[in-house]
C-alpha cells in the first residue's frame, strides 16, 4: 500500500511535465517527416523509466521510515489500528536492538575487514573473465544497525537443542563504492531482509550447558540497492544483477543452509560436529498438472514450468509449450532436508520467454509437506 505525500506529488508533476515535453518534441519531429513510431517508442520507454524510479523511491522512503519509526509508520499507513496488532514486547525483543546499537561500531569494523579480505577475492574469482580487477574502494556501513523485528522460539518436535528464528531487517545509511575493470559504481539505499536461524546444540548437563552455536539463513535473504556514479548515469547493462548475484552467492557460501557459522562452546563438541549435521530426511516432490492458466504470449497461451525450492536447493520442471492446462509426467524431485522446523517448500510458476525475462504466473509455499498448499493463486 503506497501513500503519496507532498514530496511525491511534486516529483510526479515534474515527471509528467517532462513526459509532455517529450511528447511535444515527438509531434514536432513527426511534422518534420521523421519516424513517429520510433519517437513514440522512445517517449514510452522514458515515461516507464521515470514512473518505475518514482515507485522504487516511494517504496524505499517507506522502508527507511519503518526502519527508524516502526509504530509511527504503521499509524501513517493505517490511520486506525487496534492495539492487539502491536507485537508483544517478548517477541519484538527490543533489548536485542539496543544491544546491536551498542555493538554496531565494532561490528562495522570487523565487517569492513571481512568484506575486503574474504569477500572481495571470492567475488573476483566468481565474476566472468572479461571483468577483472574487482575491488571495494570504500566501505561505510553507516550509523544505523540492522533491526531484529521479531524472534520465534520453537518448542514442538525439538529435542536436545534450542532453535530460534530472528527476522533481520536493514534499510540504513550504508554507502559502498566498488570498481569493476575501468568502471566505478556506488552502492546506496541498501535493503536487506531475511530470517536468521540460531541453534544451541547439543544441550549438556554441566556448564556451559550448551555444546555450541549454529548460525545460518534457511533460504536466500532479500537484497536490494541502488547504483550511483557512472553506473547510474550510463545504465550499464546487467551491472546491478551481476553485483547482486555475486554478493548473495558469497553470503550463501558462508551462511545459507547447508553452510553454517559454528561456534563450539565446549571441548566435548568439535566444530565439524556442529557444521556437518546429519540430514533429517528426504522430501519427494511430484509435479502433476496446472489448470486454467492465463495467456502471456501473443498466441494467448503460455509456456509454463514450475520452480521448486527447499532451503536454497532449486529444481525446475520441463517447459510445456503453448497450453493453458499443462500436465507433467514423471517430474519427481528429491530434496535433502537438513532442518524440519520452519523450512518452507516454495513453488513458483513461470511462463518461459526466450526474448525476455520469464513471466511470473503465481507462487505459494507450505511449511510442512503434509500442510495444505497456500499460494497467491491456485495452480
Amino acid at each position: 500500500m503506497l501513500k503519496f505525500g507532498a514530496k511525491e506529488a511534486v516529483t510526479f508533476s515534474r515527471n509528467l511535465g517532462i513526459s509532455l515535453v517529450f511528447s511535444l518534441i515527438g509531434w514536432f519531429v513527426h511534422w518534420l517527416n521523421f519516424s513517429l513510431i520510433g519517437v513514440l517508442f522512445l517517449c514510452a520507454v522514458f515515461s516507464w523509466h521515470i514512473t518505475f524510479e518514482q515507485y522504487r523511491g516511494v517504496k524505499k522512503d517507506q522502508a527507511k521510515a519503518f526502519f527508524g519509526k516502526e509504530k509511527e509508520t504503521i499509524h501513517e499507513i493505517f490511520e486506525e489500528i487496534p492495539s492487539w496488532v502491536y507485537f508483544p514486547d517478548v517477541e519484538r525483543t527490543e533489548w536485542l536492538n539496543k544491544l546491536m546499537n551498542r555493538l554496531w561500531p565494532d561490528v562495522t569494523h570487523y565487517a569492513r575487514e571481512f568484506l575486503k579480505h574474504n569477500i572481495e577475492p571470492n567475488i573476483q574469482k566468481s565474476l566472468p573473465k572479461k571483468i577483472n580487477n574487482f575491488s571495494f574502494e570504500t566501505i561505510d556501513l553507516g550509523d544505523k544497525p540492522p533491526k531484529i523485528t521479531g524472534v520465534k522460539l520453537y518448542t514442538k518436535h525439538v529435542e536436545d537443542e534450542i532453535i530460534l528464528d530472528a527476522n533481520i531487517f536493514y534499510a540504513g545509511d550504508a554507502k559502498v563504492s566498488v570498481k569493476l575493470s575501468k568502471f566505478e559504481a556506488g552502492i546506496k539505499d541498501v535493503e536487506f531482509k531475511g530470517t536468521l536461524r540460531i541453534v544451541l546444540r547439543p544441550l549438556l548437563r554441566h556448564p556451559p550447558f550448551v555444546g555450541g552455536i549454529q548460525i545460518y539463513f534457511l533460504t536466500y535473504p532479500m537484497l536490494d540497492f541502488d547504483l550511483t556514479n557512472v553506473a547510474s548515469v550510463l545504465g550499464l547493462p546487467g551491472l546491478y544483477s551481476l553485483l547482486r548475484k555475486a554478493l548473495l552467492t558469497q553470503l550463501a557460501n558462508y551462511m545459507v543452509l547447508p553452510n553454517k557459522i559454528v561456534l563450539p562452546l565446549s571441548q566435548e563438541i568439535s566444530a565439524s560436529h556442529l557444521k556437518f549435521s546429519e540430514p533429517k530426511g528426504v522430501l519427494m516432490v511430484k509435479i502433476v498438472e496446472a489448470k486454467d492458466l492465463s495467456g502471456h504470449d501473443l498466441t494467448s497461451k503460455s509456456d509454463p514450468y514450475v520452480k521448486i525450492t527447499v532451503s536454497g536447493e532449486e529444481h525446475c520442471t520441463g517447459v510445456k509449450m503453448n497450453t493453458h492446462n499443462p500436465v507433467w509426467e514423471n517430474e519427481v524431485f528429491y530434496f535433502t532436508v537438513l532442518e524440519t522446523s520452519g523450512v518452507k517448500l516454495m513453488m513458483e510458476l513461470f511462463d518461459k520467454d526466450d526474448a525476455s525475462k520469464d513471466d511470473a504466473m503465481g507462487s505459494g509455499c507450505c511449511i510442512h509437506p503434509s500442510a495444505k498448499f497456500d499460494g497467491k493463486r491456485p495452480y
Side-chain angles (χ1 to χ4, degrees):
M1 181 177 184
L2 298 178
K3 192 170 184 178
F4 288 79
K7 178 180 177 182
E8 289 77 16
V10 172
T11 303
F12 178 77
S13 300
R14 182 188 64 194
N15 292 339
L16 180 61
I18 294 174
S19 299
L20 291 175
V21 170
F22 269 77
S23 298
L24 290 174
I25 293 174
W27 176 84
F28 182 71
V29 172
H30 175 64
W31 184 63
L32 294 176
N33 294 325
F34 288 98
S35 173
L36 177 61
I37 295 178
V39 173
L40 290 178
F41 175 76
L42 292 176
C43 291
V45 171
F46 181 79
S47 299
W48 173 86
H49 174 73
I50 59 178
T51 303
F52 178 73
E53 289 299 321
Q54 180 189 15
Y55 170 81
R56 287 191 67 191
V58 172
K59 292 288 288 181
K60 287 183 177 295
D61 288 343
Q62 288 189 350
K64 289 181 179 179
F66 182 83
F67 186 67
K69 298 180 180 180
E70 179 179 347
K71 188 176 295 185
E72 291 81 354
T73 305
I74 293 177
H75 268 300
E76 182 180 354
I77 298 176
F78 306 99
E79 296 180 357
E80 295 185 5
I81 184 170
S83 59
W84 55 264
V85 176
Y86 294 125
F87 307 118
D89 290 339
V90 67
E91 295 183 4
R92 294 179 64 188
T93 59
E94 283 301 311
W95 65 273
L96 282 177
N97 290 320
K98 294 178 180 179
L99 179 63
M100 181 65 76
N101 282 327
R102 176 64 183 84
L103 295 175
W104 187 239
D106 299 317
V107 173
T108 56
H109 175 76
Y110 171 79
R112 281 194 297 268
E113 297 296 319
F114 187 79
L115 286 171
K116 189 67 179 176
H117 300 295
N118 295 79
I119 301 300
E120 180 180 302
N122 289 334
I123 290 180
Q124 175 64 56
K125 294 177 183 178
S126 66
L127 292 176
K129 293 182 179 180
K130 62 182 179 180
I131 299 178
N132 49 35
N133 298 325
F134 172 86
S135 63
F136 289 104
E137 296 296 294
T138 59
I139 302 174
D140 180 8
L141 298 184
D143 300 322
K144 298 179 180 179
K147 275 187 172 291
I148 301 174
T149 59
V151 173
K152 179 177 180 179
L153 173 66
Y154 290 90
T155 58
K156 296 182 178 179
H157 311 294
V158 176
E159 298 179 0
D160 196 35
E161 60 187 5
I162 298 173
I163 301 176
L164 301 96
D165 282 350
N167 298 321
I168 309 295
F169 176 64
Y170 177 80
D173 51 351
K175 294 181 180 179
V176 179
S177 63
V178 299
K179 185 175 182 180
L180 297 92
S181 298
K182 60 181 180 179
F183 299 107
E184 290 189 7
I187 297 176
K188 68 171 186 177
D189 294 336
V190 178
E191 289 186 36
F192 181 90
K193 181 169 60 175
T195 300
L196 185 67
R197 170 154 294 187
I198 303 170
V199 181
L200 310 178
R201 65 179 300 267
L203 303 182
L204 306 176
R205 294 189 176 183
H206 54 79
F209 301 108
V210 174
I213 302 176
Q214 299 172 328
I215 304 174
Y216 54 89
F217 289 97
L218 288 171
T219 58
Y220 281 86
M222 183 280 291
L223 175 65
D224 189 23
F225 52 82
D226 284 338
L227 294 176
T228 63
N229 303 339
V230 67
S232 178
V233 175
L234 300 180
L236 295 176
L239 181 57
Y240 167 82
S241 299
L242 188 69
L243 281 176
R244 182 178 178 275
K245 181 179 180 181
L247 291 171
L248 283 176
T249 299
Q250 295 309 311
L251 176 65
N253 290 340
Y254 280 96
M255 54 184 310
V256 174
L257 204 65
N259 300 310
K260 309 172 184 177
I261 294 177
V262 298
L263 303 171
L265 300 179
S266 172
Q267 295 181 354
E268 301 176 13
I269 307 299
S270 65
S272 59
H273 175 79
L274 293 171
K275 199 170 187 66
F276 305 105
S277 303
E278 293 185 2
K280 302 295 178 66
V282 176
L283 174 64
M284 184 186 75
V285 179
K286 183 177 182 180
I287 306 300
V288 179
E289 64 179 356
K291 295 182 179 180
D292 301 326
L293 301 181
S294 59
H296 283 249
D297 295 336
L298 296 177
T299 60
S300 78
K301 292 187 178 181
S302 300
D303 305 322
Y305 70 93
V306 181
K307 181 172 76 173
I308 311 101
T309 307
V310 177
S311 299
E313 182 181 354
E314 295 181 355
H315 292 289
C316 292
T317 67
V319 178
K320 297 298 179 179
M321 305 299 294
N322 200 27
T323 179
H324 290 300
N325 302 286
V327 176
W328 288 274
E329 298 179 0
N330 301 319
E331 296 276 7
V332 180
F333 307 95
Y334 296 90
F335 297 86
T336 301
V337 179
L338 301 175
E339 297 288 344
T340 53
S341 301
V343 173
K344 294 181 180 180
L345 165 65
M346 184 73 184
M347 302 177 68
E348 298 171 279
L349 184 66
F350 292 95
D351 174 34
K352 184 68 176 179
D353 194 335
D354 294 329
S356 62
K357 183 179 179 180
D358 296 346
D359 298 320
M361 303 181 68
S363 63
C365 68
C366 64
I367 297 179
H368 191 277
S370 63
K372 182 180 179 180
F373 190 82
D374 185 15
K376 295 180 182 177
R377 54 169 297 183
Y379 292 162

